[in-house]
Amino acid sequence: MKPELFRLLSSYAPAFTTNRGMAFCGDSTELMKKLPDECIDLIVTSPPFALVFKKEYGNPDQSEYVSWFINSFGRELYRILKPTGSLVIDLGGAYQKGMPVRSLTHFELMIALVKEVGFFLAQEFYWYNPAKMPAPAEWVTVRRIRVRDSVNPVWWLSKTPYPKADNKRVLREYSEDMKRLMEKGYRAKERPSGHVITTKWNRNLGGSIPPNVLEITHVDEQNEILQELLTSNFIRLGNNSANDRYLQGCREAGIKPHPARFPVALPGFFINFLTDPDDIVFDPFGGSSATGAAAEALDRWWFTCEIEPSYVDGAKFRFDLPVADGAMVESKGQLKLNLDAHD
């Protein structure tokens, strides 16, 4: 049964709908103000990073980033999240302007969300993406005094120390070494580290508990990505595809794809880990609706909000929806949020 929240959302003129979700084109800060308290099970998103160089989709200056996010988004995200819900933020780091030293902005944001807004840091994850470009070029490829930055921190935040979560839903296939150990048996003993290994380690519990490092290597069709996500012994998610159906659709329709997409399986991992089927997932920086695609495949309800019309139009290709010639760029005024409809 469709959640009651979606009856409210449908009155705000979504740009498109699917069997399980809807995408909005507009300012998510305005949409969130219309949402009731504690209505979302999981918010998973990747906001614009606090980079020195400006991106076409817009990114605030490092000096203003934390206050911008906290005041525009942080408190509203806390308000609309259910007591047992989670907020997952993919937020890469950056260098300070003109110097080969790192900005602390992404750490400062996480601390502010905890200290000022009231979230708990449930756990930090790290998305390893070997396909990331070697940047900044000045320090990495010209002067050669730094190495490639290939890791994004992903903050898992919650309103309680005990949010909904179940790592049995994201178990990996056992390694060959572990399979041999279970077959031959293991002698109980204390390791040099002081950890006591008992005979319980011999039991087959359906798979190994995944690490908090998400390795990115390739992207394929999203259903295959999610299948791999649920069966592999390590989370291998790609971000350098040139031929998935999203990019193919954008090329054929003459739509410029979102330049900073995260792989469908990245939100897919957290959706599987932190929610149940029919829970509600929201992405306030919807981009190409990777979050929506993952939620749809995993039988969750979802909605996204993205301010750039062409990105919303391109997102339709993730769901095999038709896109009109000329794309959304020519019809921006018709596709903004109609937030007065329900007043």
Side-chain angles (χ1 to χ4, degrees):
M1 180 184 301
K2 185 174 293 189
E4 183 63 31
L5 174 64
F6 275 55
R7 304 183 197 282
L8 170 66
L9 289 171
S10 63
S11 69
Y12 295 148
F16 68 83
T17 62
T18 68
N19 291 332
R20 306 283 302 187
M22 54 186 69
F24 292 89
C25 182
D27 186 342
S28 61
T29 61
E30 297 302 315
L31 178 61
M32 286 191 291
K33 291 175 185 176
K34 298 289 186 176
L35 300 178
D37 295 348
E38 300 180 349
C39 62
I40 309 296
D41 294 284
L42 172 65
I43 301 165
V44 55
T45 194
S46 183
F49 295 177
L51 303 175
V52 172
F53 298 103
K54 296 303 177 184
K55 296 289 188 177
E56 63 184 50
Y57 48 79
N59 48 306
D61 188 83
Q62 289 181 1
S63 63
E64 304 167 351
Y65 192 89
V66 174
S67 61
W68 165 76
F69 191 95
I70 294 296
N71 294 327
S72 298
F73 298 94
R75 293 185 173 87
E76 279 297 294
L77 295 174
Y78 187 94
R79 181 187 66 81
I80 64 177
L81 196 63
K82 290 181 180 180
T84 57
S86 292
L87 166 64
V88 175
I89 303 177
D90 161 43
L91 187 62
Y95 280 83
Q96 293 185 31
K97 188 173 183 178
M99 295 186 291
V101 292
R102 301 287 280 173
S103 166
L104 299 179
T105 302
H106 55 309
F107 298 109
E108 292 169 343
L109 175 60
M110 181 271 291
I111 292 171
L113 285 166
V114 173
K115 297 287 189 180
E116 298 179 27
V117 179
F119 282 103
F120 292 92
L121 177 60
Q123 193 170 14
E124 64 274 30
F125 284 72
Y126 299 94
W127 164 15
Y128 169 53
N129 180 4
K132 286 182 77 172
M133 296 297 291
E138 175 69 17
W139 315 128
V140 181
T141 62
V142 178
R143 299 198 195 187
R144 302 245 175 188
I145 57 176
R146 296 293 183 268
V147 297
R148 284 190 300 130
D149 174 25
S150 297
V151 176
N152 280 4
V154 181
W155 311 120
W156 170 25
L157 301 152
S158 59
K159 294 177 75 169
T160 169
Y162 301 97
K164 180 191 292 187
D166 186 353
N167 68 24
K168 294 190 297 295
R169 290 194 290 253
V170 289
L171 294 178
R172 310 293 90 186
E173 183 182 352
Y174 284 122
S175 68
E176 293 303 315
D177 285 343
M178 187 63 188
K179 290 176 183 176
R180 284 192 294 270
L181 183 151
M182 289 187 293
E183 182 181 346
K184 296 180 179 179
Y186 187 86
R187 182 171 58 85
K189 62 181 179 181
E190 181 177 344
R191 285 188 172 181
S193 62
H195 293 93
V196 178
I197 309 300
T198 70
T199 54
K200 292 181 180 179
W201 278 64
N202 292 350
R203 293 184 299 170
N204 187 331
L205 298 177
S208 64
I209 298 169
N212 67 335
V213 177
L214 314 179
E215 183 181 6
I216 311 299
T217 57
H218 74 278
V219 170
D220 205 333
E221 293 291 334
Q222 62 201 40
N223 289 338
E224 294 179 18
I225 294 169
L226 291 172
Q227 183 63 30
E228 181 182 352
L229 171 69
L230 300 176
T231 60
S232 68
N233 65 348
F234 200 67
I235 307 166
R236 307 181 69 85
L237 323 173
N239 202 33
N240 59 341
S241 171
N243 292 302
D244 62 26
R245 67 181 181 183
Y246 167 74
L247 289 175
Q248 286 177 343
C250 287
R251 279 197 300 269
E252 292 170 3
I255 298 173
K256 189 171 184 178
H258 194 289
R261 307 173 308 281
F262 57 22
V264 171
L266 181 63
F269 173 82
F270 291 102
I271 291 168
N272 210 32
F273 178 31
L274 303 175
T275 66
D276 296 310
D278 291 328
D279 279 356
I280 299 175
V281 180
F282 172 50
D283 187 343
F285 298 93
S288 66
S289 286
T291 297
E296 185 99 3
L298 293 169
D299 294 326
R300 273 65 167 176
W301 297 98
W302 64 270
F303 66 105
T304 63
C305 194
E306 167 58 45
I307 201 165
E308 173 51 49
S310 62
Y311 298 159
V312 181
D313 215 25
K316 294 178 182 179
F317 294 116
R318 294 197 184 276
F319 308 95
D320 294 328
L321 296 173
V323 178
D325 291 341
M328 209 178 274
V329 177
E330 296 183 3
S331 53
K332 284 187 178 183
Q334 302 173 31
L335 293 157
K336 291 298 183 181
L337 291 169
N338 181 13
L339 294 176
D340 297 325
H342 197 76
D343 290 346

